Amino acid sequence: DITERKRAEEQLRGSKAELTAIYDHAPFIMCLFDENLRAVRLNRAAVALMQREPEGFIGQNCGAIIGCINARDEHDCGRGPACVNCALRLAIRDTLDTGQTHREVEGQALVGHRQPKERNLLMHTAQLVIAGRKHVLLCLEDITERNAVKTALQRAEEQFRQAQKMEAIGHLASGVAHDFNNILASVMLYLGLLHDEASPGQNFRSMLKELEKDVRRGANLTRQLLAFSRQQAMEPKVLDLHVVILDLVKMLHRLLGEHIALTLHSPTDLPRIEADSGMMEQVVVNLCVNARDAMPNGGQLDLYLDVVKLGADVAATNAEARAGRFLRLCVTDTGTGMDEQVLRHIFEPFYTTKESGKGTGLGLATVYGIVKQHQGWVEVESKVGFGTTFRVFLPASQASMVSSSVTTELRHDRGCGETILVVEDEPAVQAAVNSTLLHNGYQTRLAASGPEALRVWEKQSGKIDLLLTDMTMPDGMTGLELAGRLREKAPGLKIIVFTGYQLEKFAPQLASFGPVTLLRKPLDAAHLLHALRQCLDGG
């Protein structure tokens, strides 16, 4: 009677079929090796990854299946030059020798029969005793794509953190520049008054001129801070960047010195850009000065201009990039180059690798701020000992060239007793403006905020010839909002607004009422008096 034997055989076949089904349909790679690390069994996932029928692997050693990226041959594991530190091999040997189970051991291997590819693998091991002999069950997950996504995500997170940090520093720089502008504004105006009082033959006047130079240097520093923080007022127009750089070449040769060879490579049919000419000059000069400092013993500096059309895939490598048509400026030097540590910080304000007193650390930060303000971005590539390349991308414009305005020579006409309403919340600036106007034949009425200015206006019964106001003030009213309120009361009122910030956020208000004269902070007495006279006389 063989009934029980048949039933046992049937159960055995069912168990084997069940085991085979589970083994072959497992979502990860499974390999069974004997104590000599010879393949006993592979599941379908392993066969699919190896691109070879399972019979071709049975009896093969572990190294033939999991291709060693170090040895790059099919010898037993342990013969490669880096096997001592191979995480996969150490885990397998330890499982065979001690029975220790290993989980999530990460390593690299060459997989594939015809065209082996380097893949990242996550390994799990367990010791099995089959027919009295030790075996190791090896389970592998191919995490190459997962790691690539993880790396891209980490890169994006790092870029996001860097952008947040730069934004925070930008707000800080903007606030510092605003306060510094107010200090310089009062100093410049008082210097103008002292200059008028000084006798022509006195050395005192020459000293005042030297002081004015130092103050203007300070004003230039605030412009760099504002450019970095993207708060500097812009005067964009259609530009040919090739022409802008050509006009700079002579000055750049003097700036760089004879030990540096400067070459401009540029076609003549490049698209125009909509940009502030002075800011573009500052970008070019700052990049060239940075290159000069990287070549203390001389070298080659090349400027390249070309047009590029970028696809939607560009953002994958740079979070600030985008698709479109761009004018690209490349500045390449043969200098000392920079390592990864320096590259991570080069656009941060006040970060410098130069000796104390040799640099402010604002040059590249200013470039970054100006380019961002023009809706572009900057890429940098550098290697220690092999030089550096900066690539500036600026949106190409479809507009045609327009002629630039002609600068009018400043007049110094005095006032004729006109009444000026001065609205300024900084006491020192208000006092300096007041003294300058009184000294030059004007009458003044003073206010420190918009609401206070409205009260002064009512007391004067509208007998005010011109409003001179700061843009940003306390008590929730900007200079433009004040101007709009007073324009409703007196449509013909002359208005001058002075600020160091850009006017983009005030554009809707600017479009809603008549002409406004804009002055940049810090301003000296000559520009203030010239603007007053021009505005009052109908200019």
PDB file of all heavy atoms in Angstrom, residues 158 162 165-166 169 228 338-353 361 364-365 380:
ATOM      1  N   GLU A 158      20.103  71.327  -0.950  1.00  0.00           N
ATOM      2  CA  GLU A 158      21.269  72.163  -0.675  1.00  0.00           C
ATOM      3  C   GLU A 158      21.148  73.495  -1.405  1.00  0.00           C
ATOM      4  O   GLU A 158      21.446  74.560  -0.844  1.00  0.00           O
ATOM      5  CB  GLU A 158      22.542  71.431  -1.095  1.00  0.00           C
ATOM      6  CG  GLU A 158      23.822  72.230  -0.902  1.00  0.00           C
ATOM      7  CD  GLU A 158      24.084  72.588   0.541  1.00  0.00           C
ATOM      8  OE1 GLU A 158      23.651  71.841   1.443  1.00  0.00           O
ATOM      9  OE2 GLU A 158      24.709  73.640   0.769  1.00  0.00           O
ATOM     10  N   GLN A 162      20.838  77.118   0.301  1.00  0.00           N
ATOM     11  CA  GLN A 162      21.741  78.193  -0.089  1.00  0.00           C
ATOM     12  C   GLN A 162      20.946  79.419  -0.531  1.00  0.00           C
ATOM     13  O   GLN A 162      21.291  80.558  -0.193  1.00  0.00           O
ATOM     14  CB  GLN A 162      22.650  77.715  -1.232  1.00  0.00           C
ATOM     15  CG  GLN A 162      23.643  78.748  -1.737  1.00  0.00           C
ATOM     16  CD  GLN A 162      24.752  79.049  -0.739  1.00  0.00           C
ATOM     17  OE1 GLN A 162      24.836  78.421   0.306  1.00  0.00           O
ATOM     18  NE2 GLN A 162      25.584  80.017  -1.059  1.00  0.00           N
ATOM     19  N   LYS A 165      19.599  81.100   2.499  1.00  0.00           N
ATOM     20  CA  LYS A 165      20.657  81.810   3.213  1.00  0.00           C
ATOM     21  C   LYS A 165      21.013  83.109   2.503  1.00  0.00           C
ATOM     22  O   LYS A 165      21.146  84.164   3.145  1.00  0.00           O
ATOM     23  CB  LYS A 165      21.901  80.911   3.322  1.00  0.00           C
ATOM     24  CG  LYS A 165      23.055  81.549   4.057  1.00  0.00           C
ATOM     25  CD  LYS A 165      24.147  80.545   4.354  1.00  0.00           C
ATOM     26  CE  LYS A 165      24.778  79.995   3.112  1.00  0.00           C
ATOM     27  NZ  LYS A 165      25.931  79.130   3.395  1.00  0.00           N
ATOM     28  N   MET A 166      21.119  83.037   1.162  1.00  0.00           N
ATOM     29  CA  MET A 166      21.443  84.239   0.400  1.00  0.00           C
ATOM     30  C   MET A 166      20.326  85.274   0.511  1.00  0.00           C
ATOM     31  O   MET A 166      20.577  86.478   0.567  1.00  0.00           O
ATOM     32  CB  MET A 166      21.683  83.877  -1.064  1.00  0.00           C
ATOM     33  CG  MET A 166      22.864  82.949  -1.288  1.00  0.00           C
ATOM     34  SD  MET A 166      24.444  83.705  -0.873  1.00  0.00           S
ATOM     35  CE  MET A 166      24.738  84.671  -2.341  1.00  0.00           C
ATOM     36  N   ILE A 169      20.686  86.893   3.933  1.00  0.00           N
ATOM     37  CA  ILE A 169      21.818  87.820   3.924  1.00  0.00           C
ATOM     38  C   ILE A 169      21.490  89.044   3.082  1.00  0.00           C
ATOM     39  O   ILE A 169      21.888  90.161   3.393  1.00  0.00           O
ATOM     40  CB  ILE A 169      23.085  87.111   3.402  1.00  0.00           C
ATOM     41  CG1 ILE A 169      23.481  85.981   4.339  1.00  0.00           C
ATOM     42  CG2 ILE A 169      24.245  88.090   3.268  1.00  0.00           C
ATOM     43  CD1 ILE A 169      24.646  85.141   3.850  1.00  0.00           C
ATOM     44  N   PHE A 228      23.655  93.422  -4.558  1.00  0.00           N
ATOM     45  CA  PHE A 228      23.650  92.044  -4.079  1.00  0.00           C
ATOM     46  C   PHE A 228      22.261  91.637  -3.576  1.00  0.00           C
ATOM     47  O   PHE A 228      21.773  90.548  -3.853  1.00  0.00           O
ATOM     48  CB  PHE A 228      24.677  91.858  -2.965  1.00  0.00           C
ATOM     49  CG  PHE A 228      24.443  90.621  -2.143  1.00  0.00           C
ATOM     50  CD1 PHE A 228      24.714  89.381  -2.670  1.00  0.00           C
ATOM     51  CD2 PHE A 228      23.904  90.712  -0.875  1.00  0.00           C
ATOM     52  CE1 PHE A 228      24.473  88.240  -1.942  1.00  0.00           C
ATOM     53  CE2 PHE A 228      23.647  89.575  -0.142  1.00  0.00           C
ATOM     54  CZ  PHE A 228      23.939  88.337  -0.681  1.00  0.00           C
ATOM     55  N   MET A 338      39.808  77.187  -7.886  1.00  0.00           N
ATOM     56  CA  MET A 338      39.192  77.091  -6.556  1.00  0.00           C
ATOM     57  C   MET A 338      38.774  75.648  -6.283  1.00  0.00           C
ATOM     58  O   MET A 338      38.397  74.926  -7.202  1.00  0.00           O
ATOM     59  CB  MET A 338      37.968  78.005  -6.467  1.00  0.00           C
ATOM     60  CG  MET A 338      38.283  79.485  -6.596  1.00  0.00           C
ATOM     61  SD  MET A 338      36.784  80.511  -6.650  1.00  0.00           S
ATOM     62  CE  MET A 338      36.270  80.250  -8.345  1.00  0.00           C
ATOM     63  N   ASP A 339      38.825  75.260  -5.017  1.00  0.00           N
ATOM     64  CA  ASP A 339      38.369  73.929  -4.643  1.00  0.00           C
ATOM     65  C   ASP A 339      36.876  73.963  -4.322  1.00  0.00           C
ATOM     66  O   ASP A 339      36.239  75.020  -4.321  1.00  0.00           O
ATOM     67  CB  ASP A 339      39.181  73.377  -3.468  1.00  0.00           C
ATOM     68  CG  ASP A 339      39.112  74.284  -2.231  1.00  0.00           C
ATOM     69  OD1 ASP A 339      38.113  75.017  -2.079  1.00  0.00           O
ATOM     70  OD2 ASP A 339      40.048  74.247  -1.417  1.00  0.00           O
ATOM     71  N   GLU A 340      36.311  72.790  -4.021  1.00  0.00           N
ATOM     72  CA  GLU A 340      34.866  72.690  -3.768  1.00  0.00           C
ATOM     73  C   GLU A 340      34.433  73.518  -2.568  1.00  0.00           C
ATOM     74  O   GLU A 340      33.353  74.104  -2.554  1.00  0.00           O
ATOM     75  CB  GLU A 340      34.481  71.221  -3.556  1.00  0.00           C
ATOM     76  CG  GLU A 340      34.543  70.371  -4.815  1.00  0.00           C
ATOM     77  CD  GLU A 340      33.504  70.791  -5.844  1.00  0.00           C
ATOM     78  OE1 GLU A 340      32.437  71.295  -5.431  1.00  0.00           O
ATOM     79  OE2 GLU A 340      33.758  70.640  -7.049  1.00  0.00           O
ATOM     80  N   GLN A 341      35.276  73.566  -1.543  1.00  0.00           N
ATOM     81  CA  GLN A 341      34.932  74.315  -0.339  1.00  0.00           C
ATOM     82  C   GLN A 341      34.761  75.792  -0.648  1.00  0.00           C
ATOM     83  O   GLN A 341      33.801  76.436  -0.200  1.00  0.00           O
ATOM     84  CB  GLN A 341      36.026  74.108   0.728  1.00  0.00           C
ATOM     85  CG  GLN A 341      35.809  74.890   2.015  1.00  0.00           C
ATOM     86  CD  GLN A 341      34.618  74.391   2.811  1.00  0.00           C
ATOM     87  OE1 GLN A 341      34.175  73.272   2.608  1.00  0.00           O
ATOM     88  NE2 GLN A 341      34.088  75.227   3.700  1.00  0.00           N
ATOM     89  N   VAL A 342      35.676  76.361  -1.433  1.00  0.00           N
ATOM     90  CA  VAL A 342      35.591  77.779  -1.794  1.00  0.00           C
ATOM     91  C   VAL A 342      34.404  78.023  -2.714  1.00  0.00           C
ATOM     92  O   VAL A 342      33.675  79.006  -2.575  1.00  0.00           O
ATOM     93  CB  VAL A 342      36.911  78.241  -2.455  1.00  0.00           C
ATOM     94  CG1 VAL A 342      36.798  79.672  -2.972  1.00  0.00           C
ATOM     95  CG2 VAL A 342      38.064  78.136  -1.462  1.00  0.00           C
ATOM     96  N   LEU A 343      34.181  77.119  -3.673  1.00  0.00           N
ATOM     97  CA  LEU A 343      33.081  77.298  -4.626  1.00  0.00           C
ATOM     98  C   LEU A 343      31.732  77.388  -3.938  1.00  0.00           C
ATOM     99  O   LEU A 343      30.824  78.062  -4.438  1.00  0.00           O
ATOM    100  CB  LEU A 343      33.072  76.140  -5.631  1.00  0.00           C
ATOM    101  CG  LEU A 343      34.152  76.169  -6.714  1.00  0.00           C
ATOM    102  CD1 LEU A 343      34.123  74.891  -7.526  1.00  0.00           C
ATOM    103  CD2 LEU A 343      33.968  77.373  -7.624  1.00  0.00           C
ATOM    104  N   ARG A 344      31.586  76.710  -2.802  1.00  0.00           N
ATOM    105  CA  ARG A 344      30.295  76.726  -2.108  1.00  0.00           C
ATOM    106  C   ARG A 344      30.000  78.084  -1.492  1.00  0.00           C
ATOM    107  O   ARG A 344      28.861  78.361  -1.121  1.00  0.00           O
ATOM    108  CB  ARG A 344      30.261  75.648  -1.022  1.00  0.00           C
ATOM    109  CG  ARG A 344      30.006  74.255  -1.573  1.00  0.00           C
ATOM    110  CD  ARG A 344      29.625  73.306  -0.446  1.00  0.00           C
ATOM    111  NE  ARG A 344      30.751  73.019   0.432  1.00  0.00           N
ATOM    112  CZ  ARG A 344      31.571  71.990   0.253  1.00  0.00           C
ATOM    113  NH1 ARG A 344      31.400  71.170  -0.765  1.00  0.00           N
ATOM    114  NH2 ARG A 344      32.559  71.784   1.082  1.00  0.00           N
ATOM    115  N   HIS A 345      31.017  78.946  -1.347  1.00  0.00           N
ATOM    116  CA  HIS A 345      30.818  80.207  -0.623  1.00  0.00           C
ATOM    117  C   HIS A 345      31.127  81.463  -1.450  1.00  0.00           C
ATOM    118  O   HIS A 345      30.980  82.568  -0.924  1.00  0.00           O
ATOM    119  CB  HIS A 345      31.713  80.226   0.625  1.00  0.00           C
ATOM    120  CG  HIS A 345      31.446  79.115   1.595  1.00  0.00           C
ATOM    121  ND1 HIS A 345      30.368  79.114   2.460  1.00  0.00           N
ATOM    122  CD2 HIS A 345      32.097  77.951   1.814  1.00  0.00           C
ATOM    123  CE1 HIS A 345      30.379  78.013   3.184  1.00  0.00           C
ATOM    124  NE2 HIS A 345      31.415  77.278   2.815  1.00  0.00           N
ATOM    125  N   ILE A 346      31.508  81.323  -2.707  1.00  0.00           N
ATOM    126  CA  ILE A 346      32.059  82.479  -3.420  1.00  0.00           C
ATOM    127  C   ILE A 346      31.059  83.614  -3.611  1.00  0.00           C
ATOM    128  O   ILE A 346      31.457  84.774  -3.737  1.00  0.00           O
ATOM    129  CB  ILE A 346      32.630  82.069  -4.799  1.00  0.00           C
ATOM    130  CG1 ILE A 346      31.562  81.340  -5.622  1.00  0.00           C
ATOM    131  CG2 ILE A 346      33.874  81.244  -4.651  1.00  0.00           C
ATOM    132  CD1 ILE A 346      31.997  81.102  -7.043  1.00  0.00           C
ATOM    133  N   PHE A 347      29.757  83.318  -3.651  1.00  0.00           N
ATOM    134  CA  PHE A 347      28.778  84.383  -3.872  1.00  0.00           C
ATOM    135  C   PHE A 347      28.242  84.980  -2.573  1.00  0.00           C
ATOM    136  O   PHE A 347      27.367  85.833  -2.601  1.00  0.00           O
ATOM    137  CB  PHE A 347      27.612  83.858  -4.714  1.00  0.00           C
ATOM    138  CG  PHE A 347      28.002  83.507  -6.122  1.00  0.00           C
ATOM    139  CD1 PHE A 347      27.803  82.226  -6.609  1.00  0.00           C
ATOM    140  CD2 PHE A 347      28.586  84.448  -6.950  1.00  0.00           C
ATOM    141  CE1 PHE A 347      28.159  81.896  -7.905  1.00  0.00           C
ATOM    142  CE2 PHE A 347      28.958  84.120  -8.241  1.00  0.00           C
ATOM    143  CZ  PHE A 347      28.746  82.855  -8.722  1.00  0.00           C
ATOM    144  N   GLU A 348      28.767  84.523  -1.435  1.00  0.00           N
ATOM    145  CA  GLU A 348      28.319  85.073  -0.163  1.00  0.00           C
ATOM    146  C   GLU A 348      29.026  86.406   0.094  1.00  0.00           C
ATOM    147  O   GLU A 348      30.235  86.522  -0.124  1.00  0.00           O
ATOM    148  CB  GLU A 348      28.613  84.098   0.975  1.00  0.00           C
ATOM    149  CG  GLU A 348      27.842  82.790   0.862  1.00  0.00           C
ATOM    150  CD  GLU A 348      28.177  81.819   1.969  1.00  0.00           C
ATOM    151  OE1 GLU A 348      28.918  82.211   2.902  1.00  0.00           O
ATOM    152  OE2 GLU A 348      27.715  80.669   1.906  1.00  0.00           O
ATOM    153  N   PRO A 349      28.285  87.417   0.553  1.00  0.00           N
ATOM    154  CA  PRO A 349      28.913  88.719   0.802  1.00  0.00           C
ATOM    155  C   PRO A 349      29.941  88.626   1.918  1.00  0.00           C
ATOM    156  O   PRO A 349      29.758  87.904   2.903  1.00  0.00           O
ATOM    157  CB  PRO A 349      27.734  89.616   1.204  1.00  0.00           C
ATOM    158  CG  PRO A 349      26.686  88.676   1.680  1.00  0.00           C
ATOM    159  CD  PRO A 349      26.851  87.427   0.886  1.00  0.00           C
ATOM    160  N   PHE A 350      31.040  89.348   1.739  1.00  0.00           N
ATOM    161  CA  PHE A 350      32.132  89.464   2.693  1.00  0.00           C
ATOM    162  C   PHE A 350      32.957  88.187   2.810  1.00  0.00           C
ATOM    163  O   PHE A 350      33.839  88.099   3.647  1.00  0.00           O
ATOM    164  CB  PHE A 350      31.627  89.892   4.088  1.00  0.00           C
ATOM    165  CG  PHE A 350      30.721  91.084   4.052  1.00  0.00           C
ATOM    166  CD1 PHE A 350      29.396  90.976   4.410  1.00  0.00           C
ATOM    167  CD2 PHE A 350      31.190  92.315   3.629  1.00  0.00           C
ATOM    168  CE1 PHE A 350      28.549  92.066   4.364  1.00  0.00           C
ATOM    169  CE2 PHE A 350      30.353  93.416   3.573  1.00  0.00           C
ATOM    170  CZ  PHE A 350      29.035  93.286   3.942  1.00  0.00           C
ATOM    171  N   TYR A 351      32.671  87.178   1.967  1.00  0.00           N
ATOM    172  CA  TYR A 351      33.522  85.992   1.939  1.00  0.00           C
ATOM    173  C   TYR A 351      34.648  86.241   0.952  1.00  0.00           C
ATOM    174  O   TYR A 351      34.426  86.568  -0.218  1.00  0.00           O
ATOM    175  CB  TYR A 351      32.730  84.760   1.506  1.00  0.00           C
ATOM    176  CG  TYR A 351      33.592  83.519   1.403  1.00  0.00           C
ATOM    177  CD1 TYR A 351      33.916  82.786   2.531  1.00  0.00           C
ATOM    178  CD2 TYR A 351      34.108  83.108   0.168  1.00  0.00           C
ATOM    179  CE1 TYR A 351      34.709  81.649   2.443  1.00  0.00           C
ATOM    180  CE2 TYR A 351      34.904  81.977   0.079  1.00  0.00           C
ATOM    181  CZ  TYR A 351      35.197  81.251   1.218  1.00  0.00           C
ATOM    182  OH  TYR A 351      35.995  80.145   1.128  1.00  0.00           O
ATOM    183  N   THR A 352      35.878  86.129   1.418  1.00  0.00           N
ATOM    184  CA  THR A 352      37.022  86.356   0.546  1.00  0.00           C
ATOM    185  C   THR A 352      38.177  85.457   0.956  1.00  0.00           C
ATOM    186  O   THR A 352      38.337  85.133   2.141  1.00  0.00           O
ATOM    187  CB  THR A 352      37.470  87.838   0.586  1.00  0.00           C
ATOM    188  OG1 THR A 352      38.618  88.017  -0.270  1.00  0.00           O
ATOM    189  CG2 THR A 352      37.820  88.272   1.999  1.00  0.00           C
ATOM    190  N   THR A 353      38.951  85.034  -0.026  1.00  0.00           N
ATOM    191  CA  THR A 353      40.152  84.242   0.244  1.00  0.00           C
ATOM    192  C   THR A 353      41.406  85.115   0.211  1.00  0.00           C
ATOM    193  O   THR A 353      42.507  84.613   0.348  1.00  0.00           O
ATOM    194  CB  THR A 353      40.294  83.116  -0.801  1.00  0.00           C
ATOM    195  OG1 THR A 353      40.316  83.700  -2.112  1.00  0.00           O
ATOM    196  CG2 THR A 353      39.113  82.161  -0.708  1.00  0.00           C
ATOM    197  N   GLY A 361      35.142  91.298  -0.301  1.00  0.00           N
ATOM    198  CA  GLY A 361      34.287  90.134  -0.360  1.00  0.00           C
ATOM    199  C   GLY A 361      32.920  90.429  -0.946  1.00  0.00           C
ATOM    200  O   GLY A 361      31.985  89.649  -0.775  1.00  0.00           O
ATOM    201  N   LEU A 364      31.954  89.316  -6.107  1.00  0.00           N
ATOM    202  CA  LEU A 364      31.135  88.257  -6.700  1.00  0.00           C
ATOM    203  C   LEU A 364      29.716  88.263  -6.145  1.00  0.00           C
ATOM    204  O   LEU A 364      28.769  87.894  -6.849  1.00  0.00           O
ATOM    205  CB  LEU A 364      31.784  86.895  -6.468  1.00  0.00           C
ATOM    206  CG  LEU A 364      33.121  86.681  -7.190  1.00  0.00           C
ATOM    207  CD1 LEU A 364      33.698  85.307  -6.870  1.00  0.00           C
ATOM    208  CD2 LEU A 364      32.955  86.840  -8.696  1.00  0.00           C
ATOM    209  N   ALA A 365      29.548  88.681  -4.892  1.00  0.00           N
ATOM    210  CA  ALA A 365      28.196  88.816  -4.342  1.00  0.00           C
ATOM    211  C   ALA A 365      27.408  89.862  -5.128  1.00  0.00           C
ATOM    212  O   ALA A 365      26.211  89.703  -5.378  1.00  0.00           O
ATOM    213  CB  ALA A 365      28.262  89.198  -2.864  1.00  0.00           C
ATOM    214  N   VAL A 380      29.479  78.556 -12.305  1.00  0.00           N
ATOM    215  CA  VAL A 380      30.938  78.641 -12.187  1.00  0.00           C
ATOM    216  C   VAL A 380      31.531  77.248 -12.233  1.00  0.00           C
ATOM    217  O   VAL A 380      30.982  76.294 -11.687  1.00  0.00           O
ATOM    218  CB  VAL A 380      31.342  79.376 -10.884  1.00  0.00           C
ATOM    219  CG1 VAL A 380      30.758  78.680  -9.668  1.00  0.00           C
ATOM    220  CG2 VAL A 380      32.850  79.479 -10.752  1.00  0.00           C
TER     221      VAL A 380
END
